Amino acid sequence: MTTTESMFPDRSDFDYDYDTLRTTGVILAVIMFVSGILIALSKKFTKCVKSSSNSSSSGTQIPKTEVPPQTV
């Protein structure tokens, strides 16, 4: 009868480097967090800049339509 130990040899030669794994994970998390905030803020600021530059650079303005008040 074979045991589990004889079927799967011991692989103790391979050890995880948990400190490097943890450090790399924290660094990647910080990079992704900061890049996400930068992307969100850049879309917010480019939206404001584009809307103000379009109205000032073009000579024609888009006419505003009035919405009638709603009756209850």
Side-chain angles (χ1 to χ4, degrees), residues 13-38:
D13 294 338
F14 184 76
D15 291 325
Y16 287 104
D17 187 7
Y18 288 107
D19 292 332
T20 305
L21 187 64
R22 185 182 304 135
T23 304
T24 305
V26 169
I27 290 171
L28 288 175
V30 168
I31 289 172
M32 289 189 285
F33 179 75
V34 169
S35 63
I37 291 194
L38 288 175

Side-chain angles (χ1 to χ4, degrees), residues 34-51:
V34 169
S35 63
I37 291 194
L38 288 175
I39 289 170
L41 291 177
S42 69
K43 287 184 180 180
K44 181 179 179 181
F45 288 129
T46 55
K47 183 179 176 183
C48 294
V49 171
K50 284 182 181 178
S51 65

